[in-house]
Amino acid sequence: TDYNQMGFNLRSNIFQGGPLESRSLMKDSYTPDITQRVIRDPKNWHGRRTDELGKWHQKNALNLNLQKALQDKYG
C-alpha cells in the first residue's frame, strides 16, 4: 500500500530534507562589511514607504481601541 511505501522511503532516507546551511543572495553578492553597516528603517522597508492607507489603518486601530476603552469605562 501507499502507507508502507512511504514508510520504506522514510526508513531508507530518500526524503533527506533541506540543506543544513542556508545561502542568501545578498550575502553571496556583497562583502560582509556591507551587510553589517546597513541601516534598517522601519518606515522604509524593502524600498516601500508607509503610505497614507497604512497610516489611516494605524489611526483607525488606535481610534477603535480608544472607543472600546471609553465604552468599558463609561458604559
Side-chain angles (χ1 to χ4, degrees), residues 27-72:
K27 287 182 181 177
D28 290 344
S29 301
Y30 299 104
T31 56
D33 63 318
I34 296 292
T35 56
Q36 290 171 356
R37 65 184 166 134
V38 67
I39 299 170
R40 290 176 176 87
D41 184 13
K43 297 215 180 271
N44 185 8
W45 52 281
H46 300 291
R48 300 183 195 133
R49 294 194 176 274
T50 306
D51 58 351
E52 295 298 321
L53 184 62
K55 290 178 186 174
W56 182 87
H57 279 290
Q58 187 177 15
K59 288 180 184 177
N60 189 35
L62 288 173
N63 186 28
L64 291 174
N65 289 340
L66 177 65
Q67 293 294 330
K68 184 177 178 185
L70 289 174
Q71 185 75 19
D72 290 344

Side-chain angles (χ1 to χ4, degrees), residues 3 5 7 9 11-12 15-17 21 23 27 35 39 44 49 51 57 61 67 75:
Y3 183 75
Q5 185 67 27
N9 290 337
R11 284 191 303 278
S12 57
F15 307 122
Q16 297 178 6
E21 181 180 336
R23 300 191 54 141
K27 287 182 181 177
T35 56
I39 299 170
N44 185 8
R49 294 194 176 274
D51 58 351
H57 279 290
Q67 293 294 330

